[in-house]
Amino acid sequence: MTTGTTKTTGQAPLIETESQFCAFFDDPRWALAIVRATVLEAAHPQIGAALADNSTFTTHPWRRLRNTFLSMRRMFDTDPAVREREAARLNRLHTRMSGSDSRGRGYDAMDRGARAWVVATLFESAVTMCRLSGQPLDQDTMERLYAEYRAFLSALDGDAGALPEGLNDFWRYYDRMVQDELENTEAARVILYRLFDHLPAPALLEGAPTLWAAGRAVVGPLLGTITVASLPDAYRRKAGLPEVPGAPALMQGAYLTAGLARFLPAGWINAEAIIETLSLRPDSDDPRARTVAALRTRIKRAAALVRLLTPVDDHAGPAQASAAGEDRRPARAFFHQVLDQTGDGYLDWPDLAAMARELATRLDLDEPEETRLYEAFAAWWRELQSALDSDGDGRVSAEEYAVGVPSLAGPALIRVAEVLFDATDKDGSGAIDADEYRTLFRTAFHRDLTTSDGAYGRSAFVGDFLSFMSGRRTNAPYDPLLADA
């Protein structure tokens, strides 16, 4: 396992004035390419096992997208201090992920070969993206782009030795990996056949489940077909992926259409703004919330029309239940919406680690605050396991949780609330002010949480957190904190 030390002395800058990689950030083609790269990553046995055990990409894909985009922005920032800090954060995150797959083979998220493959898939998918959209990169541009990706790996691992130094050697390495190392993993199958079909609505579209379901029923299979058609032939044969008539033409058309965005005026497409807008909730104090509210009104009107034409079950989600004033959701609903972060149907340590990871990301924690938060969640997991794991299988089922729900608000959960309060209270004033509140919840104070001095005290914070995490009642700011898709 590597130490994750970042070497900067004597290295060329990671970001040049005209970075080819940064030019892709706001390119619509990148959305197709990143899905393709993710499938190839998941097909690696170690990465696939780590994703299956630890990732929230199936249950909270929009949150994962937002965090990944933010991380990539930081890793390719022009300020070396920003890059080094983010590299250190990623290494701490990956150090906490290790285990065994279903065949008993060990995996380690800090494995240098696996990390190199992640970078390799991003580079190769970028090259393929340009080729499929009729704008192939010339040799010099490919070499500059490859150098940027190797520098990215160097920032994480301390050097880029796990990837070949030259571009010609890279293609031999890539072909060998596809032919000899990749497998038809569970994680790859989930992305191709489950994620698109069950993709939850982003916050913007939560109020229109019928419209979202109708659109997803059409777009989901198309995205899956396009992604499969874009994968290397050798992997498609090995994984037994279907050959759909017309799929290559559909794929080519999708990339060519996305490539037309190059004719739009500069700045018309901003991926960060799009992702942020999708994440906004109607009660947010963000100025863009007015636009979101107007969009939601139009979407609801469209949804009403779609409902008349294609009736679909329209179950209220957590946000709707809260808005309707319900004080408490059923125990099983809370289990699946909040506690089961990885979506495997059980509560175990990776679920609580995912909560700690999301909270640490929102608060942008450094050491030792980050470790303190993880340790508090680990202690809570031990308390939960002791109280709820009646069959001794090392995890908690929805049935076990429903029976033992009164046991949730123990001393360890109180400690989690206290540690989270201290991490949010950046200035150590003993109360969370408006800016600190916005950092954690991404919205302004709610009237029921403010006090006469305009701050959120420790006892009120701890009480609200315990009430929410023990499933006693819904809570407007805490629901999107851990339940948002």
Side-chain angles (χ1 to χ4, degrees), residues 164 166-178 180:
L167 188 55
N168 289 334
D169 290 334
F170 169 81
W171 295 120
R172 287 191 287 270
Y173 153 83
Y174 179 83
D175 290 340
R176 178 185 61 79
M177 289 292 296
V178 171
D180 300 336

Side-chain angles (χ1 to χ4, degrees), residues 193-212:
Y193 300 117
R194 177 182 166 191
L195 179 59
F196 296 137
D197 289 344
H198 298 83
L199 188 67
L204 174 65
L205 299 175
E206 275 185 353
T210 303
L211 182 64
W212 175 258

Side-chain angles (χ1 to χ4, degrees), residues 382-448:
R382 291 192 293 270
E383 184 177 83
L384 287 173
Q385 193 175 21
S386 175
L388 303 179
D389 182 18
S390 58
D391 61 6
D393 66 351
R395 56 188 183 177
V396 176
S397 67
E399 291 76 11
E400 290 172 327
Y401 167 78
V403 171
V405 66
S407 307
L408 282 177
L413 182 58
I414 296 173
R415 176 60 180 163
V416 170
E418 292 174 339
V419 170
L420 180 59
F421 177 87
D422 291 338
T424 307
D425 179 22
K426 296 286 188 181
D427 59 7
S429 65
I432 295 173
D433 62 28
D435 289 338
E436 293 165 341
Y437 188 96
R438 185 177 288 105
T439 299
L440 178 62
F441 294 107
R442 294 179 182 154
T443 190
F445 275 129
H446 286 252
R447 283 190 295 273
D448 61 335

Side-chain angles (χ1 to χ4, degrees), residues 82-100:
V82 173
R83 300 196 302 268
E84 291 177 12
R85 185 169 182 267
E86 180 62 13
R89 186 190 73 84
L90 289 173
N91 283 328
R92 291 197 305 272
L93 184 154
H94 290 141
T95 299
R96 296 184 173 101
M97 295 182 185
S98 60
S100 301

Side-chain angles (χ1 to χ4, degrees), residues 9 64 77 82 112 147 162 196 226 231 241 246 262 276 282 297 304 336 356 394 417 433 474 483:
T9 305
R64 170 72 185 273
D77 195 280
V82 173
R112 297 189 68 190
F196 296 137
I226 290 167
L231 295 173
L241 298 178
R262 69 186 185 277
E276 290 289 344
T297 299
H336 292 294
D433 62 28
T474 58

Side-chain angles (χ1 to χ4, degrees), residues 251-367:
M251 171 197 66
Q252 191 84 46
Y255 276 94
L256 285 171
T257 302
L260 294 177
R262 69 186 185 277
F263 297 114
L264 294 175
W268 273 39
I269 298 178
N270 185 300
E272 186 170 6
I274 293 172
I275 293 171
E276 290 289 344
T277 300
L278 287 172
S279 302
L280 284 177
R281 305 186 69 84
D283 59 352
S284 171
D285 66 325
D286 191 296
R288 292 169 296 179
R290 293 181 181 177
T291 303
V292 172
L295 285 172
R296 287 173 69 94
T297 299
R298 295 182 179 221
I299 289 167
K300 286 181 179 179
R301 290 173 183 169
L305 178 60
V306 172
R307 190 180 297 111
L308 290 174
L309 300 174
T310 56
V312 178
D313 253 354
D314 201 359
H315 299 294
Q320 293 168 282
S322 180
E326 295 181 14
D327 290 329
R328 181 170 181 147
R329 59 163 65 86
R332 289 179 184 273
F334 182 79
F335 181 91
H336 292 294
Q337 293 166 1
V338 178
L339 296 180
D340 182 15
Q341 292 280 305
T342 59
D344 64 354
Y346 293 90
L347 172 64
D348 54 10
W349 168 240
D351 296 303
L352 272 65
M355 295 181 198
R357 186 164 64 245
E358 172 61 16
L359 294 172
T361 299
R362 286 197 177 214
L363 296 172
D364 197 19
L365 298 184
D366 279 325
E367 292 287 27

Side-chain angles (χ1 to χ4, degrees), residues 10-31:
Q11 287 187 355
L14 178 61
I15 297 302
E16 300 176 355
T17 306
E18 298 293 334
S19 168
Q20 184 63 49
F21 178 83
C22 290
F24 291 146
F25 272 130
D26 298 324
D27 192 326
R29 299 173 300 171
W30 189 237

